[in-house]
Amino acid sequence: MTATMERPAQPPRTSVLPPVPKRPVPNPHVVAVWGIMIMLLGGGAWSLWELEVTPANVFGHFDNAARFIERAFPLNWPPLSELLAMTAETLGIVFLATGFSVFVSTPIAIMAAASTTSGRFSWTVSRLVIIFCRAVPDLVFAIILFRLFGLGALTGILAMGISSIGMIGKLYADAIEELDRGPSEAVEAAGGGRWQWILSTVIPQLIPQMIATGLHRYDINLRTSVILGYVGVPGIGYYLSGALETMQWQRGMALALWVLMLCIVVELISMGIRAAIMSPSSGDRSFLGLIKAADRSGWATHEPVRTRSGAVRVSPPWTGARWMRFGGIGILVVLLVASLIASNIRWEQIPRGVERFIPTISEFIPGTQGRFVDYWLPALIETVQMGLAATLLGLVLALPVGAMAARNVAPTPTVALCFRIFIVVNRAIPELILAIVLLVILGFGPVPGVLALAFGTTGLFSKLFADSIEETDVRVQNALRAGGATRIQVFFGSTLRQVAPAMVAHIMYQVDNNVRNSTLLGIVGAGGIGYWLMQTQAQLAYDVLSFLILSVLLIVIVLEAIAVYIRNVIR
Amino acid sequence: MAQYMTTHGMAAKGVAFSAPEERSIQLRNVTKRFGGVTALNGINIDFAPQKINVLLGLSGSGKSTLLRQINGLHKPTSGEVITLGTDVHTAGAGRLRKLRRNVGMIFQHFHLVESMSVLENVCTGKLGSLGGPRLGLFSYPRAVKEQAMEQLARVGLADKAFQRADALSGGQMQRVAIARALIQEPRVLLADEPVAALDPVSSATVMTLIGNIAKEDNLTVVCSLHQVELALEFSDRIIGLRGGELVMDRESHSLSLKEAHEIYEAVAVVSETELAQETSELAAVHQS
Ligand SMILES: Nc1ncnc2c1ncn2[C@@H]1O[C@H](COP(=O)(O)OP(=O)(O)O)[C@@H](O)[C@H]1O
Ligand SMILES: [Mg+2]
C-alpha cells in the first residue's frame, strides 16, 4: 500500500511505451480531412474562375446600377389592402406549415430519440424520415406537391411543412436525448407505461425547446415562402415573382423591400419570445437560495386549501404565470384560426391530390430525354460551382471582417462595434432579396447568385471568426506579439490555427448549404440546375424533372456524408 | 389531517394478505452483469414484510442495482427475484406494471419534473393505475388530485401544491417524491440513497418521515444509505454490500454504534480506487 502511495496515480500502460516518444504518425483520417478541405477551396477558386466572378464583372456595371435605380424608383406600392392581404396570406401559410411540422415532428422525434424510441426498427425508420426531409430541398417538395395539389396554399404548407421535419425533428430528438431521464424512470417505476411517461415527463420538459425551435423555423420558412412564390405558392412571393417576370421593377422592388422589413420584424419578435421562454422563472430562481436557506428547519403540517363548500381545492390559483400560459394558448388558437382564414386553403384539393398520387408516380419515372451530357450535367456542375465559389469568396471576405469585429484584434472598440453591426444586419437580409436586386443590376447568370450567397456566407463566417478570436487564448497572442510579431502574423500564426477545427466543420456546413441555396436561386434566374427545374416543370417534362431532382438529392447526400465524416474526425 | 390518515390507513389495512410470501421479497442467487462488470454476485436475501431494511455500502457496491431488481427496472442475469409473489424475471410487461403499482420508489436526485407543479408531480405517481396517458394537471380525475393533496398534507407540503417543483428546497423535493410514491398506496417502498443529496438536517427529516410512514402504512422498506449512524437509527436490519457481494446481514438492535462502525469499516476496506470514486462523488454532491 505504501509503495503504491508514493507513486502518483498513473495509468499502467505508460510504462509500456518506449522511453523516447516516436514521431507521431499522421492520422490518415486527419490527412483525408485536409485533403477534402484543399479540394473544396481549390474547387472554389476554380469555380470563381470558370463562372467569371471577376472584379470587372462585379464592379463594371455601375451604369447598370444607375439605370436600375432609375427604373426602380419611385417604388410602386400596391394598395394597402392588397398588401396586407398578401402579407396575411404569407404569414398564415408559413404559420400553418410550421405548425404542421411541429405537430408531425414531435412523434417522429420521440421515435428517433434513443431514450424514448420503441425499438431499433422505429428508430431507423424515423431517422431515415428526418434525413430524407432534410436532404430534399423545400423547392423539390413544392414542385412534386404542385403536381398533386395544383396552385394554392396547400402545396406551400405541405412543402415547407414536410421539409421542416428534417430540422425540427432532428433538433427535437437531440433535445429529448439531453433531457433528464430521472422523472421518466420514476413514473416507470410506479407502473406507468411508455406513452404515459413520455406525455407526463418528457413533453413537459421539452415544451420550451419545442416553441423556440418552432419560432426559429418560422423565420426560415418565411424566407423560403417567398422563393416558393416562383412555383405558384400564393403570398407575397407570388406577386413579387409576377412583378419581376413582367419587368415591373418599381412594383418588384417595393415588394422586395416589404419582404425585407417583414423578415426583420418577424425575426426580432421571434428572438424576443425565444429569449423569454428559454429562461423561465429566472425571477424566483434568484430567490431560490434564500427559500432553501429558510426551509432548513424541519417540516410542519400544512393543511390543504379548501373551497367555500369545504372540498379540497385542486385547481391552481390564477397566478401571473398561469395567465401567461393560458394567454399563450389563446393566442396560438387565434393565430391558427386566422391563418386558416388568411391562407385560403382549398380543401377540395386534398382528395384530388390523393387521387392523383398513383398516376403521378408513373409520370415521375426518371428519364434524361438524351440531353444529359449537353444540358443537365453542365447545369448540375454550375450549381455545385456556385456553391463552392460562394463559400470561398465568403470565407476570404470574412477574414478581415471577422478580425475587425473582434474586440481584441480590432484597432479600436468603435471599429469592432461597426463590424459587429454589419454582421447582424447582414444576417437579417434574405439572400433571395439580395439575389433579386443583384440580378436586376448584373443581368441573369451565376455571378449575382454567387455574390448573394457569398454575402450571407461572409456574415456567418465573420461572426464565427470574431467570436472565436475573442475566445482564443490571449496569452499565446501576447507572447507572439511580445516577440515582435505583427498583428497579421499573430492572426495567421496563432489565432487562425486555434480556430481551425471549428472552421473546418463550418466550411463543410456552408458548402452544403450554399449548394442547396444555389439550386433555389437558379429559380429566380441565377443559372444552374434550378433554372431547369423550373423549365421542366413548366414544360410538364416530369421524367426529366424527377431525374434532376434525384441528381440534386445525390449531390446533397454526398455532401452531407462528407460533412458527417469530417465532424466525426474532428470530434 | 386525522381524516386523511384514517382513510389512508384503512386502504392499507384493507388489503388482504393470503400468504406471508405475498408481502415479502426474495432474492435467490441473484447475479447481475453489465457487460464485463459484475454488479451483483450470487445474492440471497429474504426481506420480511413490514420491516425497514437498509443496504449499506460504498458507491459502486451494487445498492442501486439490487433495488432495481426488486421492481424489475433491471432484470437479473441469473437467479430469481420474487417480489410480492411475482417472479420479476419471467413476468411480462403487463404483470410487471401491475407489480410496480404496489412498489413505490424514491431516488437520490428526487426525479421530479422541475417545470411542473408539485401537485402534478405527485399525480404522476398514479399513472400506473390510470387508463391512458395524461398531459397537464387538468387531465387527471378530481379524485386523484384529492388523493395527491392528502399525501402532500402527510409530508407537510399541502401549501406548496401549486408551486413549481424547482421552487422547493432539496428536502422538500424529496418529500414531494415520497408523496408521489405514497399516492400509489404501495406495499413496498424502495429508496435509493434518499438523503445522499441533502444536508444533515433535511436528511434526518426525510428519514424520520420515511420511518413514520412505514409504520403507519405497514410498508416493507428497502433503503440504501452510506451513513452508518442513519442506518442504525432508522433500520430494523442492516445489509452490507461490497463489490456486488453480500458481506453483512444483522438485526440493527443487536448492533452498537461502535460495533456497526467496526463492521462497516471491515466491510468497506477501502481500496484506493474506491476511495477516489467516493471522494469525487462526495465532491459532486457538495457542489450540487
Ligand atoms: N446501467 C449500467 N451499465 C453498466 N454498468 C452499470 C450500470 N449500472 C451499474 N453499473 C455498474 O455496476 C456496479 C454497481 O453499481 P450501482 O448498483 O450503481 O452501485 P451503488 O448504487 O452501490 O453505487 C458499478 O460498478 C457500476 O459501474
Ligand atoms: Mg447508487
Side-chain angles (χ1 to χ4, degrees), chain B residues 34 37-39 58-66 74 192-193 281:
Chain B
F34 295 103
V37 181
T38 304
L58 294 172
S59 101
S61 58
K63 303 184 295 295
S64 302
T65 308
L66 198 156
H74 290 167
D192 192 0
E193 309 223 25
E281 196 160 284

Side-chain angles (χ1 to χ4, degrees), chain A residues 37-62:
Chain A
M37 279 299 121
I38 290 168
M39 270 170 58
L40 287 179
L41 298 182
W46 166 70
S47 305
L48 282 172
W49 172 258
E50 280 268 299
L51 299 175
E52 299 179 351
V53 187
T54 58
N57 270 345
V58 175
F59 298 109
H61 292 270
F62 280 121

Side-chain angles (χ1 to χ4, degrees), chain A residues 403-420 470 487:
Chain A
M404 286 300 112
R407 260 169 285 131
N408 53 346
V409 176
T412 71
T414 320
V415 171
L417 182 68
C418 287
F419 276 89
R420 280 281 177 184
E470 284 178 1
R487 227 177 252 285

Side-chain angles (χ1 to χ4, degrees), chain A residues 264-403:
Chain A
I264 292 174
V265 169
V266 167
E267 175 139 15
L268 286 178
I269 294 175
S270 123
M271 252 162 51
I273 301 178
R274 269 184 280 165
I277 287 174
M278 294 311 280
S279 59
S281 76
S282 46
D284 49 306
R285 250 178 199 286
S286 53
F287 292 112
L288 201 59
L290 284 178
I291 295 171
K292 276 186 180 171
D295 188 67
R296 308 269 155 169
S297 54
W299 56 288
T301 304
H302 298 276
E303 289 291 326
V305 182
R306 286 177 183 278
T307 58
R308 240 172 282 151
S309 59
V312 174
R313 175 172 188 157
V314 293
S315 60
W318 285 98
T319 55
R322 193 165 183 221
W323 277 114
M324 288 264 287
R325 219 165 30 241
F326 267 75
I329 293 171
I331 289 172
L332 269 182
V333 171
V334 169
L335 284 178
L336 180 66
V337 173
S339 299
L340 283 171
I341 296 170
S343 57
N344 303 317
I345 295 179
R346 281 185 274 149
W347 297 101
E348 73 276 8
Q349 287 178 334
I350 293 183
R352 209 184 56 177
V354 172
E355 226 166 81
R356 278 213 221 153
F357 187 69
I358 301 289
T360 304
I361 288 181
S362 62
E363 283 176 0
F364 272 84
I365 292 168
T368 61
Q369 298 190 347
R371 298 204 286 176
F372 178 66
V373 178
D374 297 338
Y375 286 76
W376 322 137
L377 186 62
L380 282 167
I381 292 175
E382 188 168 82
T383 292
V384 175
Q385 283 176 327
M386 282 170 66
L388 291 176
T391 310
L392 180 63
L393 191 58
L395 186 65
V396 171
L397 293 176
L399 284 173
V401 176

Side-chain angles (χ1 to χ4, degrees), chain B residues 191-209:
Chain B
D192 192 0
E193 309 223 25
V195 297
L198 303 180
D199 62 86
V201 180
S202 307
S203 297
T205 314
V206 164
M207 286 310 295
T208 312
L209 185 59

